[in-house]
Amino acid sequence: MLQFIVQGRGGQGAQMAGDILANVFFREGKYVQAYATYGGARRGTAVSSFIRVDDQPIRLRCNIEDPDVIVCFDPSLLNDVLLKDAKEDTLVLINSAQPPEYFNGLGRFRIVTIDAMAIAQENKLGRIVNTTLVGAVAGLLGRPSLDVLCEVVSDMSPVKVEQNVKSCKDGYRLIRKEGAK
Amino acid sequence: MNEKNNRILVNGNHAVAYGVKLAQPQVVPIYPITPQTPIVEKISEFQAAGEMVVELVTAESEHSAMAACITASLTGARVFTATASQGLMLMHEMLHYASGARAPIVMFNVNRTIGSPWGFWPDQTDSLAQRDTGWIHYYCEHGQESLDTVLQAYRVAEKVMLPAMVMHEAFYVSHALDIVEVPAQKDVDQYLPAFNPLHRLDPEIGESWGNTVNQEMFYRHRRDLGLAMESVIDVAQEADTEWQELTGRGYGIIEKYRCDDAELVIVTMGSMVGTARDAVDNLRMEGVPVGLLKVKLFRPFPTEAVRQALMSVPKVMVLDRNFAPGTGGFLHQELKAALYGVDDGPGVHGYLTGVGGTNISPNNIAALVREAMSTTPIASSVWKG
């Protein structure tokens, strides 16, 4: 089973990012489960999206306690609660202009950073970084396929479809390039 | 597995709406409340798209929504509504009226904490506090079961002429994307014939409902209601068996999971059943003889089936995501009552787990199993996080 936690703030599109990932894996024939929790039901408060992917039906109805990937929309969300279950091989993808070493003090995880905000702004998406970050996730894991991901981003973007698809591809390619260094 | 085009990825609430669409109710009185609202929003979308022919009545409160359900149902219309938490609390008076009026309404309730304090978390106390209102109660584990159970509930309710409420929990089911198979309309039409009651309010016919009665008539009415409720056990079992023949999916009114030779059986309902299945599999792999009993039908309580399932088990461990101050977990109370008088019956541990929506993992459940196996049960429910 592959397990993701996507952490953002209300209004940033963290839940949508989780829904996009779930839909892509569903289209690829996997069993998926995705849900979000939010404390305040208002903009600015923390929103967690949980995604499980497996080859067999998923029966668990509880929080993810051993994530393979944590996607963090904003470094201010990197607290002990979010990271308490991260292990050495947990991939922590942070939306930040800083290099990964900047976050070494958080603990021994596989930290990767991407300046998703810069990519989003370049593509005229303002502060909406979710499509860039799901692209980066696919780039890091080598799955789901970029083609299916772009198809889903295109289907699920309420506005600015081309810009969202472009951001997704940019996120994917930047991570692939960085990884190849 | 998604090559079949009737398999969709939707959240639990939208799965319910697909079930309602297939049931084709004529009247749906609505009042929004988190985390139920996506159900009625989706129904409203179906109506706007011309996929459902239904009268949506936007009421000014849940109390009024239920009053509209009762009156519409008494005219012979098939009726649906959905609510949660505070909304269900406000309906309370009308819930008794609905069963007394023998109105076979189907309602979906998304289990959510009741204020105060305010919260949006999964907790079954809202619906369990309505256990004595004369409604049939079903608890579901996932979106597919919720969709299927809505259709079974109509079948049962309209046969016995009692209202039915179907539950799943906030977030873990209501807002979780799940893969759901949507049955074909023609199959559902075959399973669920049009609602055509013997009596209905119609100026052309000239019948009425709700006049004052004497003590004898009231007594007979309550006794009849009780007999109808008792008949639900068999009717619900038959409705599930036929659904399984039609769709390949059946749930039973209770389900025994890996109970063979079990020295301890976990008993729970709702979303925690899924997590408990993983806990049981993990423990069995370690050689721990543990099983699981899922209670799907809660009212009427399937006492005889539960007794049969548990009478030869040494220990039972009830997990309640709900709490009645002064008595403890609702399901724990039911289990103690159901097993009363069984010769050399099981010891019953009652654990309050996940109350208020706290997270319960398979590891938490496994730890509780180990604890329960090595301790003597006490009569009251115990707080376990």
Side-chain angles (χ1 to χ4, degrees):
Chain A
M1 192 186 294
L2 185 61
Q3 304 192 97
F4 299 84
I5 299 176
V6 180
Q7 185 80 5
R9 293 190 182 279
Q12 284 186 321
Q15 184 174 359
M16 177 61 94
D19 289 359
I20 289 171
L21 286 172
N23 272 278
V24 180
F25 283 111
F26 172 57
R27 283 196 200 181
E28 290 195 341
K30 299 285 186 191
Y31 286 95
V32 297
Q33 180 193 76
Y35 73 97
T37 61
Y38 27 89
R42 59 180 182 264
R43 283 178 190 271
T45 52
V47 174
S48 309
S49 180
F50 301 90
I51 306 103
R52 293 187 168 99
V53 180
D54 209 346
D55 293 322
Q56 49 201 348
I58 298 158
R59 308 179 299 187
L60 289 169
R61 298 282 162 179
C62 55
N63 296 348
I64 289 174
E65 293 185 333
D66 45 350
D68 299 289
V69 183
I70 296 174
V71 181
C72 187
F73 274 51
D74 180 337
S76 68
L77 293 161
L78 287 163
N79 57 29
D80 296 344
V81 179
L82 177 63
L83 296 171
K84 70 177 175 2
D85 299 313
K87 314 279 185 313
E88 272 187 40
D89 57 352
T90 304
L91 203 50
V92 182
L93 174 67
I94 306 167
N95 168 31
S96 168
Q98 301 287 351
E101 297 74 36
Y102 181 84
F103 297 99
N104 276 351
L106 291 174
R108 294 184 61 191
F109 323 115
R110 292 168 59 203
I111 294 174
V112 179
T113 58
I114 182 167
D115 193 355
M117 188 68 89
I119 294 175
Q121 286 179 346
E122 202 179 286
N123 287 307
K124 308 274 190 287
L125 288 173
R127 303 176 64 81
I128 301 302
V129 295
N130 56 1
T131 42
T132 308
L133 288 170
V134 293
V137 167
L140 278 171
L141 298 178
R143 62 178 174 150
S145 95
L146 182 62
D147 289 348
V148 183
L149 178 59
C150 289
E151 200 180 283
V152 170
V153 167
S154 172
D155 289 352
M156 291 178 72
S157 297
V159 289
K160 299 188 179 177
V161 175
E162 282 172 31
Q163 293 93 321
N164 275 302
V165 172
K166 171 80 168 27
S167 283
C168 177
K169 285 180 178 166
D170 288 351
Y172 179 90
R173 285 175 188 143
L174 185 64
I175 286 289
R176 297 300 271 191
K177 203 170 76 188
E178 302 268 315
K181 268 183 195 168
Chain B
M1 85 224 155
N2 53 350
E3 68 276 7
K4 284 164 85 179
N5 58 11
N6 57 350
R7 281 197 159 199
I8 54 174
L9 184 65
V10 288
N11 67 41
N13 280 345
H14 287 177
V16 170
Y18 277 94
V20 174
K21 182 180 158 209
L22 288 163
Q24 299 179 306
Q26 288 114 340
V27 181
V28 178
I30 54 178
Y31 193 84
I33 183 167
T34 302
Q36 165 281 124
T37 310
I39 298 175
V40 292
E41 281 176 342
K42 194 74 184 168
I43 290 171
S44 170
E45 283 175 32
F46 286 143
Q47 187 212 35
E51 294 175 47
M52 264 180 98
V53 180
V54 58
E55 184 171 349
L56 298 183
V57 181
T58 50
E60 77 277 21
S61 74
E62 287 90 349
H63 187 277
S64 301
M66 184 45 64
C69 284
I70 295 165
T71 45
S73 180
L74 290 176
T75 68
R78 182 170 285 162
V79 178
F80 176 81
T81 192
T83 193
S85 184
Q86 317 294 136
L88 186 63
M89 299 303 111
L90 190 54
M91 282 180 183
H92 179 74
E93 177 198 359
M94 289 287 112
L95 297 182
H96 283 280
Y97 201 101
S99 61
R102 306 296 297 270
I105 301 154
V106 171
M107 170 162 69
F108 208 94
N109 179 70
V110 181
N111 289 125
R112 168 189 157 188
T113 48
I114 311 164
S116 178
W118 213 235
F120 304 93
W121 310 118
D123 185 309
Q124 300 159 332
T125 307
D126 58 355
S127 55
L128 288 167
Q130 315 306 320
R131 65 184 174 181
D132 301 330
T133 54
W135 286 58
I136 300 159
H137 289 225
Y138 282 110
Y139 285 83
C140 302
E141 194 182 333
H142 47 67
Q144 180 76 64
E145 186 178 4
S146 299
L147 185 161
D148 293 340
T149 305
V150 164
L151 294 159
Q152 291 191 14
Y154 273 110
R155 168 87 176 241
V156 176
E158 290 173 5
K159 189 149 189 183
V160 304
M161 295 300 282
L162 282 175
M165 59 174 90
V166 186
M167 269 63 75
H168 65 204
E169 283 147 69
F171 291 118
Y172 288 134
V173 185
S174 73
H175 284 59
L177 288 178
D178 266 330
I179 299 171
V180 167
E181 190 170 319
V182 181
Q185 186 68 57
K186 66 171 173 49
D187 288 344
V188 173
D189 291 347
Q190 180 198 327
Y191 177 80
L192 184 65
F195 178 44
N196 191 14
L198 191 60
H199 297 284
R200 62 192 165 91
L201 296 184
D202 182 339
E204 299 294 316
I205 301 172
E207 290 193 21
S208 73
W209 176 263
N211 285 333
T212 309
V213 297
N214 66 24
Q215 299 96 318
E216 272 305 309
M217 291 161 81
F218 207 103
Y219 176 92
R220 283 205 316 267
H221 187 71
R222 292 297 283 175
R223 190 192 56 193
D224 286 350
L225 197 155
L227 289 171
M229 187 57 96
E230 280 175 32
S231 75
V232 168
I233 299 281
D234 288 341
V235 175
Q237 184 59 65
E238 180 194 89
D240 185 69
T241 304
E242 284 189 31
W243 185 253
Q244 182 159 30
E245 285 163 6
L246 192 68
T247 64
R249 294 185 301 274
Y251 306 94
I253 54 173
I254 60 167
E255 180 201 335
K256 289 195 283 181
Y257 181 74
R258 303 192 74 171
C259 286
D260 289 350
D261 308 323
E263 283 175 26
L264 180 145
V265 170
I266 302 164
V267 183
T268 191
M269 57 186 188
S271 75
M272 212 180 286
V273 172
T275 307
R277 289 181 199 276
D278 272 26
V280 166
D281 286 357
N282 296 344
L283 287 163
R284 283 276 182 182
M285 236 165 358
E286 292 170 30
V288 182
V290 61
L292 168 70
L293 182 75
K294 165 182 174 172
V295 176
K296 175 181 173 66
L297 183 69
F298 182 79
R299 276 293 178 274
F301 195 77
T303 303
E304 205 43 53
V306 167
R307 280 169 82 99
Q308 286 297 327
L310 299 176
M311 63 197 307
S312 57
V313 174
K315 264 187 183 169
V316 166
M317 177 178 104
V318 186
L319 301 179
D320 271 300
R321 191 190 282 280
N322 58 72
F323 174 55
T327 43
F330 285 82
L331 192 56
H332 185 208
Q333 299 168 39
E334 298 288 341
L335 261 291
K336 285 186 291 184
L339 294 169
Y340 178 76
V342 174
D343 279 343
D344 201 21
V348 182
H349 288 273
Y351 292 152
L352 298 162
T353 47
V355 175
T358 56
N359 182 49
I360 300 296
S361 69
N363 287 342
N364 295 137
I365 295 175
L368 292 174
V369 166
R370 290 197 172 89
E371 181 181 325
M373 278 181 152
S374 61
T375 52
T376 308
I378 59 169
S380 19
S381 306
V382 185
W383 289 94
K384 289 292 178 186

